[in-house]
Each structure stands twice: as structure tokens, then as C-alpha cells.
Amino acid sequence: MAGLILIVQILSLLLSTPMETNEMQAFEDPTQVSNSIYYIVMILTFTLFVLIAIKKNMKWVISLLIYLAILSTLYYVFTMYFSHF
């Protein structure tokens, strides 16, 4: 498990420089306090949505969310690499 965490951290460090050169960032002004509030509200909303899906035994919704998270991660990584072509 520690090896997996180490690999993820090394890969994120390797990807940070190309993402900065492609100007891929979450917010235009990262120093604004409202960004933190936005993230907290989004995390709480997403958590509420997942808890409702668990309570109603909607396993397909949870699987769909996991797949969408994987696809969005792959999209951002591959967009960065293939934008040079």
C-alpha cells in the first residue's frame, strides 16, 4: 500500500509541470477564499448524494460515479499529453 501511495505521488509530481505549462488549473485566482468554500460545499453535496444512494441500495449509481471519476481523471491526463499534437 505504501508503494502505491509513493507511485501516485511521484506521478503527480511528474504531471504537475506539463499541466502548468498547459495552464490547467482549477481556478483563475487560487488565492481567493471562496475557492475553499466552493470545494467544501461540493464535497458535502457529493457525500450527501452518495449516502442517499447507499441508503436506497442503488449500487449502480455508486458504480457509475466511480467510473465517471476514473474517466474524468484519464481525460485530464491524456488531454494534457495529446494537446501537443
XYZ file of all heavy atoms in Angstrom:
694
model
N 0.816 -1.185 0.000
C 0.000 0.000 0.000
C 0.866 1.256 0.000
O 0.558 2.209 -0.698
C -0.926 -0.032 1.216
C -1.868 1.142 1.262
S -2.921 1.312 -0.173
C -4.376 0.523 0.387
N 1.923 1.226 0.784
C 2.809 2.395 0.834
C 3.477 2.613 -0.523
O 3.688 3.751 -0.941
C 3.852 2.217 1.922
N 3.782 1.531 -1.216
C 4.380 1.651 -2.542
C 3.434 2.301 -3.542
O 3.849 3.108 -4.373
N 2.157 1.956 -3.448
C 1.159 2.547 -4.337
C 1.021 4.045 -4.081
O 0.947 4.843 -5.021
C -0.190 1.849 -4.148
C -1.319 2.310 -5.052
C -0.977 2.054 -6.512
C -2.599 1.615 -4.675
N 1.013 4.434 -2.812
C 0.929 5.853 -2.475
C 2.161 6.588 -2.990
O 2.063 7.696 -3.535
C 0.766 6.032 -0.952
C -0.596 5.500 -0.528
C 0.923 7.489 -0.543
C -0.805 5.447 0.969
N 3.317 5.985 -2.855
C 4.552 6.590 -3.340
C 4.530 6.748 -4.863
O 4.923 7.796 -5.395
C 5.758 5.748 -2.906
C 7.127 6.304 -3.221
C 7.342 7.616 -2.472
C 8.197 5.312 -2.846
N 4.042 5.746 -5.572
C 3.957 5.819 -7.038
C 3.009 6.938 -7.466
O 3.319 7.710 -8.382
C 3.504 4.454 -7.613
C 4.616 3.424 -7.465
C 3.103 4.583 -9.075
C 4.194 2.008 -7.794
N 1.879 7.058 -6.805
C 0.915 8.107 -7.144
C 1.526 9.484 -6.907
O 1.360 10.406 -7.729
C -0.386 7.925 -6.340
C -1.275 9.146 -6.451
C -1.131 6.686 -6.804
N 2.236 9.658 -5.812
C 2.854 10.947 -5.516
C 3.936 11.302 -6.526
O 4.043 12.454 -6.963
C 3.432 10.949 -4.096
C 2.386 10.856 -3.023
C 1.413 12.008 -3.059
O 1.788 13.158 -3.237
N 0.141 11.705 -2.905
N 4.733 10.324 -6.931
C 5.778 10.571 -7.927
C 5.156 10.922 -9.273
O 5.598 11.855 -9.957
C 6.718 9.350 -8.038
C 7.555 9.220 -6.761
C 7.632 9.453 -9.254
C 8.348 7.948 -6.657
N 4.106 10.200 -9.664
C 3.430 10.505 -10.926
C 2.796 11.895 -10.900
O 2.830 12.616 -11.904
C 2.363 9.454 -11.226
C 2.872 8.105 -11.705
C 1.722 7.115 -11.833
C 3.607 8.242 -13.018
N 2.245 12.281 -9.755
C 1.643 13.618 -9.679
C 2.707 14.701 -9.787
O 2.467 15.750 -10.393
C 0.845 13.774 -8.398
O 1.702 13.743 -7.270
N 3.877 14.465 -9.240
C 4.958 15.437 -9.390
C 5.423 15.529 -10.839
O 5.737 16.612 -11.339
C 6.130 15.075 -8.481
C 5.912 15.316 -6.991
C 7.079 14.760 -6.189
C 5.726 16.787 -6.708
N 5.458 14.394 -11.528
C 5.862 14.394 -12.929
C 4.820 15.079 -13.816
O 5.166 15.688 -14.828
C 6.094 12.961 -13.414
C 7.312 12.251 -12.817
C 7.341 10.793 -13.266
C 8.593 12.953 -13.198
N 3.549 14.987 -13.446
C 2.485 15.586 -14.248
C 2.257 17.064 -13.945
O 1.632 17.764 -14.738
C 1.175 14.832 -14.032
C 1.093 13.437 -14.622
C -0.195 12.764 -14.197
C 1.192 13.483 -16.128
N 2.755 17.536 -12.819
C 2.466 18.921 -12.435
C 3.099 19.939 -13.381
O 2.476 20.951 -13.716
C 2.918 19.182 -11.003
O 4.320 19.109 -10.900
N 4.310 19.692 -13.832
C 4.970 20.646 -14.725
C 4.265 20.758 -16.080
O 3.998 21.873 -16.530
C 6.450 20.263 -14.908
O 7.062 20.186 -13.619
C 7.175 21.276 -15.754
N 3.953 19.646 -16.753
C 3.222 19.788 -18.025
C 1.855 20.427 -17.859
O 1.401 21.156 -18.737
C 3.095 18.355 -18.535
C 4.138 17.582 -17.849
C 4.353 18.258 -16.530
N 1.196 20.192 -16.743
C -0.117 20.810 -16.534
C 0.023 22.311 -16.316
O -0.850 23.073 -16.735
C -0.838 20.159 -15.362
C -1.391 18.815 -15.700
S -2.489 18.222 -14.428
C -3.229 16.845 -15.258
N 1.083 22.736 -15.672
C 1.310 24.171 -15.502
C 1.613 24.840 -16.832
O 1.154 25.951 -17.096
C 2.449 24.426 -14.517
C 2.068 24.230 -13.079
C 3.226 24.489 -12.143
O 4.252 25.054 -12.579
O 3.106 24.125 -10.962
N 2.369 24.187 -17.697
C 2.680 24.779 -19.000
C 1.448 24.850 -19.889
O 1.351 25.743 -20.727
C 3.790 24.001 -19.719
O 3.392 22.640 -19.876
C 5.103 24.085 -18.955
N 0.509 23.916 -19.726
C -0.745 23.947 -20.483
C -1.803 24.803 -19.810
O -2.944 24.839 -20.266
C -1.289 22.529 -20.668
C -0.513 21.758 -21.694
O 0.126 22.329 -22.562
N -0.559 20.445 -21.595
N -1.438 25.467 -18.734
C -2.336 26.339 -17.967
C -3.592 25.616 -17.508
O -4.695 26.149 -17.565
C -2.693 27.585 -18.771
C -1.482 28.444 -19.093
C -1.827 29.670 -19.916
O -3.011 29.886 -20.209
O -0.897 30.410 -20.249
N -3.427 24.388 -17.039
C -4.541 23.613 -16.498
C -4.567 23.820 -14.986
O -3.714 23.319 -14.267
C -4.369 22.133 -16.819
C -4.459 21.811 -18.285
S -4.212 20.074 -18.624
C -5.787 19.422 -18.190
N -5.535 24.589 -14.522
C -5.700 24.808 -13.096
C -7.185 24.866 -12.778
O -8.006 25.117 -13.656
C -5.004 26.080 -12.644
C -5.490 27.334 -13.337
C -4.631 28.533 -12.969
O -3.496 28.388 -12.557
N -5.186 29.705 -13.117
N -7.508 24.655 -11.520
C -8.921 24.585 -11.132
C -9.587 25.949 -11.142
O -10.732 26.075 -11.548
C -9.041 23.943 -9.755
N -8.875 26.972 -10.704
C -9.466 28.302 -10.593
C -8.540 29.334 -11.203
O -7.325 29.154 -11.245
C -9.694 28.670 -9.119
C -10.662 27.755 -8.435
C -10.214 26.757 -7.588
C -12.016 27.887 -8.649
C -11.108 25.921 -6.962
C -12.915 27.051 -8.023
C -12.462 26.066 -7.179
N -9.124 30.438 -11.650
C -8.317 31.510 -12.223
C -7.432 32.164 -11.172
O -6.280 32.475 -11.426
C -9.227 32.569 -12.853
C -9.935 32.088 -14.087
C -10.835 33.155 -14.675
O -10.718 34.332 -14.291
O -11.660 32.802 -15.525
N -7.985 32.413 -9.980
C -7.231 33.038 -8.900
C -7.212 32.091 -7.700
O -8.153 32.054 -6.911
C -7.873 34.369 -8.510
C -7.063 35.119 -7.471
O -5.899 34.735 -7.238
O -7.593 36.083 -6.899
N -6.141 31.310 -7.536
C -6.110 30.325 -6.452
C -5.996 30.929 -5.052
O -6.107 30.214 -4.070
C -4.894 29.462 -6.769
C -4.145 30.136 -7.832
C -4.998 31.204 -8.414
N -5.807 32.235 -4.942
C -5.671 32.850 -3.617
C -7.011 33.262 -3.019
O -7.047 33.681 -1.861
C -4.759 34.086 -3.700
O -5.325 35.038 -4.603
C -3.359 33.697 -4.174
N -8.102 33.164 -3.753
C -9.413 33.564 -3.244
C -9.921 32.578 -2.195
O -9.792 31.369 -2.348
C -10.439 33.646 -4.369
C -10.293 34.841 -5.240
C -11.433 34.920 -6.243
O -12.116 33.934 -6.496
N -11.620 36.089 -6.818
N -10.509 33.104 -1.152
C -11.058 32.271 -0.082
C -12.304 31.529 -0.563
O -12.595 30.425 -0.105
C -11.384 33.145 1.146
C -12.001 32.335 2.252
C -10.124 33.842 1.637
N -13.016 32.091 -1.499
C -14.244 31.461 -1.987
C -13.975 30.110 -2.654
O -14.879 29.273 -2.730
C -14.965 32.386 -2.956
O -14.164 32.651 -4.081
N -12.760 29.888 -3.110
C -12.425 28.587 -3.691
C -12.554 27.474 -2.651
O -13.074 26.398 -2.944
C -11.007 28.600 -4.249
C -10.839 29.572 -5.385
O -11.813 29.965 -6.023
N -9.618 29.974 -5.649
N -12.082 27.725 -1.445
C -12.179 26.727 -0.373
C -13.630 26.455 -0.019
O -14.027 25.301 0.187
C -11.431 27.213 0.868
O -10.078 27.401 0.576
N -14.420 27.510 0.045
C -15.845 27.346 0.357
C -16.524 26.528 -0.737
O -17.332 25.640 -0.457
C -16.513 28.721 0.543
C -15.909 29.426 1.765
C -18.024 28.592 0.678
C -16.287 30.874 1.890
N -16.188 26.812 -1.980
C -16.743 26.071 -3.111
C -16.416 24.579 -2.988
O -17.286 23.721 -3.174
C -16.198 26.643 -4.418
C -16.585 25.870 -5.637
C -17.871 25.952 -6.164
C -15.672 25.048 -6.279
C -18.224 25.236 -7.292
C -16.017 24.327 -7.400
C -17.291 24.427 -7.898
O -17.640 23.704 -9.007
N -15.151 24.260 -2.691
C -14.757 22.853 -2.551
C -15.489 22.172 -1.399
O -15.934 21.033 -1.520
C -13.244 22.724 -2.339
C -12.472 22.594 -3.617
C -11.469 23.490 -3.943
C -12.725 21.561 -4.507
C -10.754 23.375 -5.113
C -12.015 21.437 -5.682
C -11.035 22.345 -5.975
O -10.326 22.226 -7.133
N -15.623 22.853 -0.276
C -16.304 22.260 0.877
C -17.764 21.976 0.538
O -18.291 20.897 0.844
C -16.174 23.172 2.112
C -14.722 23.171 2.591
C -17.107 22.728 3.226
C -14.410 24.202 3.640
N -18.439 22.920 -0.111
C -19.838 22.722 -0.491
C -19.964 21.570 -1.491
O -20.875 20.728 -1.375
C -20.439 24.027 -1.063
C -21.773 23.780 -1.734
C -20.558 25.069 0.026
N -19.063 21.498 -2.455
C -19.116 20.411 -3.437
C -18.868 19.048 -2.786
O -19.528 18.059 -3.131
C -18.103 20.661 -4.559
C -18.464 21.832 -5.444
S -20.094 21.701 -6.204
C -19.819 20.368 -7.327
N -17.924 18.976 -1.856
C -17.643 17.712 -1.168
C -18.840 17.278 -0.335
O -19.229 16.100 -0.342
C -16.372 17.841 -0.304
C -15.135 17.923 -1.203
C -16.242 16.674 0.673
C -13.864 18.287 -0.472
N -19.457 18.217 0.387
C -20.622 17.875 1.198
C -21.812 17.447 0.339
O -22.524 16.494 0.679
C -21.003 19.052 2.095
C -20.025 19.362 3.227
C -20.452 20.612 3.967
C -19.900 18.181 4.170
N -22.005 18.115 -0.797
C -23.095 17.747 -1.706
C -22.867 16.356 -2.287
O -23.792 15.526 -2.337
C -23.210 18.784 -2.835
O -23.384 20.068 -2.271
C -24.357 18.462 -3.764
N -21.661 16.091 -2.713
C -21.337 14.783 -3.275
C -21.483 13.694 -2.218
O -22.012 12.607 -2.498
C -19.915 14.800 -3.834
C -19.519 13.515 -4.486
C -19.985 13.203 -5.742
C -18.690 12.621 -3.842
C -19.633 12.013 -6.353
C -18.334 11.437 -4.436
C -18.801 11.130 -5.695
N -21.032 13.968 -0.996
C -21.163 13.000 0.092
C -22.627 12.708 0.391
O -23.013 11.546 0.591
C -20.460 13.521 1.354
O -19.095 13.789 1.054
C -20.532 12.515 2.482
N -23.459 13.732 0.411
C -24.889 13.540 0.628
C -25.496 12.683 -0.477
O -26.285 11.762 -0.203
C -25.588 14.897 0.691
C -27.097 14.861 0.880
C -27.442 14.292 2.257
C -27.680 16.242 0.705
N -25.106 12.952 -1.719
C -25.608 12.175 -2.851
C -25.216 10.700 -2.729
O -26.036 9.803 -2.944
C -25.070 12.778 -4.149
C -25.605 12.134 -5.383
C -26.925 12.301 -5.759
C -24.781 11.360 -6.185
C -27.422 11.706 -6.893
C -25.271 10.752 -7.319
C -26.593 10.930 -7.685
N -23.970 10.431 -2.342
C -23.504 9.048 -2.190
C -24.210 8.367 -1.021
O -24.603 7.193 -1.120
C -21.965 9.010 -2.023
C -21.489 7.633 -1.624
C -21.285 9.449 -3.304
N -24.383 9.082 0.086
C -25.077 8.484 1.228
C -26.527 8.144 0.906
O -27.042 7.104 1.335
C -25.006 9.427 2.431
C -23.636 9.538 3.093
C -23.665 10.598 4.175
C -23.187 8.201 3.646
N -27.189 8.985 0.144
C -28.562 8.689 -0.283
C -28.572 7.458 -1.190
O -29.441 6.587 -1.066
C -29.193 9.913 -0.978
C -29.449 11.011 0.044
C -30.488 9.540 -1.691
C -29.866 12.333 -0.561
N -27.609 7.362 -2.085
C -27.529 6.197 -2.975
C -27.264 4.918 -2.179
O -27.823 3.860 -2.494
C -26.438 6.411 -4.018
N -26.436 5.015 -1.144
C -26.162 3.837 -0.312
C -27.420 3.441 0.466
O -27.755 2.257 0.554
C -24.984 4.118 0.642
C -23.677 4.205 -0.147
C -24.877 3.043 1.711
C -22.498 4.693 0.668
N -28.104 4.421 1.028
C -29.303 4.137 1.824
C -30.397 3.499 0.977
O -31.122 2.618 1.438
C -29.817 5.418 2.469
C -30.982 5.189 3.395
C -31.308 6.410 4.193
C -32.511 6.143 5.042
N -32.223 6.177 6.445
N -30.536 3.923 -0.265
C -31.567 3.373 -1.152
C -31.077 2.144 -1.912
O -31.754 1.659 -2.802
C -32.036 4.450 -2.115
C -32.717 5.598 -1.409
C -33.504 6.429 -2.376
C -34.140 7.574 -1.650
N -35.475 7.284 -1.203
N -29.883 1.669 -1.572
C -29.279 0.467 -2.168
C -29.182 0.582 -3.687
O -29.538 -0.336 -4.426
C -30.060 -0.783 -1.761
C -29.235 -2.038 -1.912
O -28.014 -1.970 -2.032
N -29.884 -3.182 -1.899
N -28.710 1.713 -4.154
C -28.548 1.966 -5.586
C -27.071 1.768 -5.964
O -26.336 2.721 -6.175
C -29.017 3.380 -5.913
C -30.468 3.622 -5.588
S -30.952 5.341 -5.710
C -30.858 5.600 -7.466
N -26.686 0.510 -6.037
C -25.283 0.186 -6.316
C -24.851 0.662 -7.692
O -23.690 1.004 -7.903
C -25.063 -1.317 -6.169
C -25.224 -1.794 -4.763
C -24.989 -3.275 -4.649
C -25.214 -3.724 -3.220
N -25.029 -5.153 -3.065
N -25.768 0.708 -8.635
C -25.410 1.133 -9.990
C -25.019 2.606 -10.012
O -24.176 3.011 -10.813
C -26.540 0.845 -10.969
C -27.784 1.640 -10.704
C -28.806 1.304 -9.873
C -28.115 2.901 -11.265
N -29.760 2.287 -9.883
C -29.364 3.283 -10.727
C -27.496 3.754 -12.167
C -29.990 4.469 -11.063
C -28.119 4.932 -12.502
C -29.348 5.281 -11.962
N -25.615 3.410 -9.132
C -25.268 4.832 -9.074
C -23.841 4.993 -8.551
O -23.056 5.789 -9.082
C -26.274 5.605 -8.192
C -25.817 7.034 -7.964
C -27.646 5.578 -8.805
N -23.509 4.225 -7.516
C -22.167 4.302 -6.955
C -21.147 3.823 -7.972
O -20.085 4.436 -8.138
C -22.102 3.495 -5.646
C -23.071 4.113 -4.631
C -20.693 3.455 -5.089
C -23.311 3.286 -3.407
N -21.445 2.740 -8.677
C -20.537 2.255 -9.723
C -20.374 3.293 -10.827
O -19.260 3.525 -11.314
C -21.059 0.955 -10.327
O -21.074 -0.058 -9.371
N -21.469 3.932 -11.211
C -21.413 4.963 -12.233
C -20.529 6.135 -11.790
O -19.730 6.650 -12.576
C -22.821 5.456 -12.558
C -22.929 6.532 -13.623
C -22.531 5.984 -14.987
C -24.335 7.089 -13.668
N -20.655 6.543 -10.540
C -19.818 7.628 -10.022
C -18.337 7.262 -10.031
O -17.484 8.091 -10.358
C -20.263 8.006 -8.609
C -21.607 8.706 -8.496
C -22.002 8.862 -7.045
C -21.558 10.051 -9.187
N -18.038 6.024 -9.675
C -16.643 5.576 -9.697
C -16.114 5.582 -11.129
O -15.004 6.064 -11.388
C -16.521 4.176 -9.057
C -16.799 4.272 -7.559
C -15.144 3.579 -9.313
C -16.933 2.940 -6.869
N -16.892 5.068 -12.064
C -16.460 5.062 -13.461
C -16.286 6.477 -14.016
O -15.344 6.749 -14.754
C -17.434 4.271 -14.334
C -17.419 2.786 -14.068
C -18.602 2.070 -13.971
C -16.223 2.100 -13.889
C -18.589 0.708 -13.720
C -16.214 0.746 -13.632
C -17.395 0.057 -13.551
O -17.380 -1.279 -13.301
N -17.198 7.369 -13.660
C -17.069 8.761 -14.114
C -15.830 9.431 -13.529
O -15.169 10.220 -14.213
C -18.319 9.552 -13.757
C -19.557 9.235 -14.578
C -20.766 9.982 -14.028
C -19.339 9.563 -16.033
N -15.497 9.110 -12.284
C -14.294 9.670 -11.676
C -13.039 9.160 -12.394
O -12.112 9.927 -12.678
C -14.232 9.310 -10.194
N -13.028 7.885 -12.731
C -11.882 7.316 -13.455
C -11.776 7.926 -14.847
O -10.687 8.320 -15.288
C -12.006 5.774 -13.528
C -11.846 5.171 -12.138
C -10.969 5.189 -14.485
C -12.187 3.700 -12.060
N -12.905 8.022 -15.545
C -12.883 8.591 -16.895
C -12.460 10.060 -16.900
O -11.716 10.490 -17.780
C -14.248 8.442 -17.548
C -14.575 7.055 -18.059
C -16.017 6.995 -18.553
C -13.626 6.640 -19.148
N -12.922 10.823 -15.924
C -12.523 12.233 -15.890
C -11.041 12.388 -15.590
O -10.371 13.256 -16.152
C -13.365 13.007 -14.875
O -13.096 12.568 -13.571
N -10.506 11.536 -14.734
C -9.071 11.577 -14.456
C -8.279 11.235 -15.708
O -7.306 11.931 -16.047
C -8.723 10.597 -13.327
O -9.475 10.929 -12.169
C -7.238 10.644 -13.013
N -8.683 10.186 -16.400
C -7.986 9.805 -17.635
C -8.099 10.903 -18.690
O -7.148 11.169 -19.424
C -8.554 8.491 -18.172
C -8.236 7.246 -17.348
C -8.986 6.049 -17.901
C -6.748 6.984 -17.306
N -9.254 11.546 -18.758
C -9.449 12.625 -19.719
C -8.449 13.750 -19.482
O -7.801 14.227 -20.416
C -10.886 13.143 -19.633
C -11.114 14.398 -20.424
C -11.248 14.343 -21.805
C -11.170 15.633 -19.802
C -11.446 15.500 -22.543
C -11.373 16.791 -20.526
C -11.507 16.719 -21.898
O -11.681 17.864 -22.614
N -8.328 14.193 -18.241
C -7.416 15.305 -17.958
C -5.959 14.934 -18.185
O -5.170 15.731 -18.681
C -7.616 15.824 -16.539
C -8.828 16.698 -16.430
C -9.935 16.294 -15.714
C -8.871 17.928 -17.060
C -11.054 17.089 -15.620
C -9.986 18.739 -16.989
C -11.072 18.311 -16.264
O -12.179 19.096 -16.184
N -5.583 13.713 -17.846
C -4.190 13.291 -18.052
C -3.888 13.174 -19.538
O -2.874 13.702 -20.017
C -3.916 11.963 -17.322
C -2.574 11.393 -17.734
C -3.966 12.172 -15.818
N -4.762 12.505 -20.294
C -4.484 12.316 -21.709
C -4.665 13.592 -22.524
O -4.005 13.773 -23.545
C -5.328 11.177 -22.287
C -4.875 9.827 -21.806
C -5.774 8.946 -21.235
C -3.553 9.447 -21.915
C -5.362 7.708 -20.793
C -3.127 8.212 -21.474
C -4.034 7.340 -20.911
N -5.557 14.464 -22.096
C -5.706 15.756 -22.772
C -4.419 16.546 -22.687
O -3.994 17.180 -23.649
C -6.861 16.561 -22.146
O -8.062 15.834 -22.311
C -7.000 17.917 -22.806
N -3.781 16.485 -21.536
C -2.534 17.209 -21.357
C -1.448 16.653 -22.285
O -0.711 17.402 -22.901
C -2.084 17.115 -19.900
C -0.792 17.837 -19.651
S 0.095 17.206 -18.244
C 0.037 15.469 -18.478
N -1.368 15.321 -22.385
C -0.311 14.728 -23.210
C -0.581 14.869 -24.710
O 0.330 15.087 -25.488
C -0.130 13.252 -22.866
C 0.719 13.038 -21.651
C 0.237 12.367 -20.553
C 2.018 13.540 -21.594
C 1.008 12.189 -19.432
C 2.786 13.369 -20.485
C 2.291 12.697 -19.412
O 3.061 12.518 -18.300
N -1.843 14.731 -25.116
C -2.144 14.763 -26.546
C -2.434 16.151 -27.070
O -2.700 16.309 -28.255
C -3.302 13.828 -26.862
C -2.967 12.378 -26.629
C -3.791 11.588 -25.854
C -1.830 11.831 -27.168
C -3.491 10.255 -25.637
C -1.505 10.493 -26.957
C -2.338 9.719 -26.182
N -2.386 17.161 -26.234
C -2.638 18.522 -26.711
C -1.457 19.068 -27.504
O -1.584 20.073 -28.196
C -2.942 19.449 -25.531
O -1.795 19.589 -24.709
N -0.333 18.408 -27.419
C 0.848 18.864 -28.158
C 0.802 18.454 -29.628
O 1.567 18.978 -30.434
C 2.119 18.322 -27.518
C 2.339 18.831 -26.136
N 2.583 20.144 -25.859
C 2.330 18.196 -24.939
C 2.734 20.303 -24.558
N 2.571 19.122 -23.981
N -0.066 17.516 -29.988
C -0.097 17.003 -31.357
C -1.112 17.711 -32.192
O -2.084 18.185 -31.906
C -0.373 15.495 -31.372
C 0.664 14.721 -30.629
C 0.370 14.076 -29.446
C 1.947 14.642 -31.139
C 1.324 13.358 -28.778
C 2.903 13.907 -30.465
C 2.589 13.265 -29.281
